Amino acid sequence: HPDRPLVGFIVCSECGGKMTGYEVKKKKLNYYKCLKCNGASMNAETTPKALHKGAHEMFLDFLNKYKIKPDIFEPFKLQFKKYYNYVREDEQEMKKNIAQKVKEKEIELYTLRKNFALGKIKESEEFYQQLKSELEKEIVNLQMEMGNEPEKISNLDFFIDKSLVFLSNSPKLWVSTNTDGKRVMQYLLFPEGIKYNYKKRQYLTSKVNEYFELVALFSTYSEGNEKGVFQFSSKNSLIVARWGVEPQTSGL
């Protein structure tokens, strides 16, 4: 419904159920409601007589937490590219290790087949088939793991520029776009939706798109650092900082 784009996206923190929506036609007002929990409801829009903000205004406030100011676009780009290159190098090293394991397992499989053909395996054929099946399965799993490597971003600067413009204007973009556009934005930022604690009247989230969370983290630290933003290193990356390691601050 165009007046209730958050239907199914908001999850009740009390019971875990997705909140539905409805309209009181006499008042011409829309609401969101949990079907299981009494009191777990809220206006879609903030009204003059409402004691609290509506669901949509609360969501705009929530989006503001992930905004980034244009004056730190360039510092973020520099830091993110360092982080991205570090991750790519790490992925390539992991891929080499997996390829080596595949090679070792293939040699084991070849040796097993050879010994069976030469009659060196005294156990039953059933035992041989079991060993052979296990090795083949291990090889397939390793090959699948190696193939799961994320694709390289072909135009990294373009990707970062577009995403930062999006994040610097996300509340306005959400308001101005149509219902489908709103829902695309919602799930892009918060893949599992957002939780609503009706007792405290606040939104919570268990999962945020990692890239956008990284931007928010960078923005927070840069605002609280008089010298500038903290410097990236493989031992002290932006992601590591997110896990509770105190970052080292320095000018760029």
Side-chain angles (χ1 to χ4, degrees):
H1 193 285
D3 294 321
R4 300 189 295 272
L6 298 177
V7 164
F9 178 73
I10 305 176
V11 177
C12 176
S13 65
E14 193 74 15
C15 69
K18 293 183 177 181
M19 295 183 71
T20 186
Y22 64 96
E23 181 185 9
V24 176
K25 293 185 178 180
K26 290 183 179 179
K27 296 182 179 180
K28 295 183 179 180
L29 294 175
N30 289 275
Y31 296 84
Y32 293 100
K33 179 181 180 179
C34 174
L35 296 176
K36 296 180 181 179
C37 302
N38 291 328
S41 64
M42 54 181 163
N43 290 31
E45 303 291 346
T46 305
T47 61
K49 295 183 180 180
L51 298 175
H52 305 283
K53 290 182 179 180
H56 298 164
E57 187 176 349
M58 285 176 60
F59 185 63
L60 292 177
D61 290 342
F62 204 66
L63 285 178
N64 274 317
K65 295 180 181 180
Y66 297 90
K67 283 183 66 175
I68 183 169
K69 294 180 180 179
D71 58 354
I72 60 171
F73 278 15
E74 292 305 316
F76 174 80
K77 285 174 63 176
L78 174 64
Q79 294 294 309
F80 181 75
K81 283 193 280 189
K82 288 182 180 180
Y83 167 71
Y84 177 78
N85 290 331
Y86 165 70
V87 171
R88 292 293 301 178
E89 289 173 6
D90 192 49
E91 287 170 352
Q92 291 300 319
E93 187 62 32
M94 288 177 62
K95 191 173 181 180
K96 287 180 183 178
N97 292 336
I98 295 172
Q100 181 61 35
K101 288 181 182 179
V102 170
K103 188 176 180 180
E104 291 170 0
K105 292 297 177 182
E106 287 177 339
I107 292 173
E108 282 186 47
L109 182 60
Y110 171 78
T111 303
L112 179 69
R113 287 171 172 166
K114 182 179 178 181
N115 289 338
F116 180 76
L118 295 174
K120 294 183 179 180
I121 296 179
K122 297 180 180 180
E123 288 81 359
S124 65
E125 182 176 349
E126 183 180 351
F127 179 70
Y128 159 74
Q129 292 294 344
Q130 181 182 344
L131 290 178
K132 176 174 169 288
S133 177
E134 287 176 0
L135 281 171
E136 289 173 339
K137 186 177 180 180
E138 286 183 52
I139 291 170
V140 170
N141 288 339
L142 285 168
Q143 289 173 335
M144 288 178 64
E145 187 178 347
M146 190 165 55
N148 285 335
E149 180 188 7
E151 291 184 13
K152 184 177 181 180
I153 300 175
S154 58
N155 193 335
L156 189 57
D157 284 316
F158 178 81
F159 164 76
I160 299 173
D161 287 340
K162 288 294 183 182
S163 64
L164 292 179
V165 170
F166 166 76
L167 281 175
S168 66
N169 295 285
S170 54
K172 290 181 180 179
L173 289 172
W174 188 82
V175 170
S176 62
T177 191
N178 60 26
T179 307
D180 290 336
K182 283 182 171 65
R183 293 184 68 79
V184 168
M185 283 182 63
Q186 290 161 199
Y187 284 103
L188 177 64
L189 283 162
F190 313 107
E192 296 178 356
I194 54 175
K195 294 180 180 179
Y196 176 59
N197 185 324
Y198 70 92
K199 295 178 180 178
K200 295 183 178 180
R201 297 198 64 83
Q202 65 180 14
Y203 288 141
L204 307 166
T205 182
S206 56
K207 184 176 181 181
V208 181
N209 179 303
E210 286 197 24
Y211 174 77
F212 297 131
E213 188 177 17
L214 190 64
V215 174
L217 176 70
F218 181 91
S219 182
T220 299
Y221 274 114
S222 64
E223 286 178 5
N225 179 10
E226 294 179 0
K227 294 181 180 179
V229 294
F230 57 92
Q231 193 173 31
F232 172 87
S233 72
S234 59
K235 294 182 180 179
N236 186 30
S237 72
L238 299 174
I239 289 293
V240 170
R242 171 180 81 173
W243 292 338
V245 177
E246 186 66 24
Q248 301 296 316
T249 57
S250 70
L252 285 175

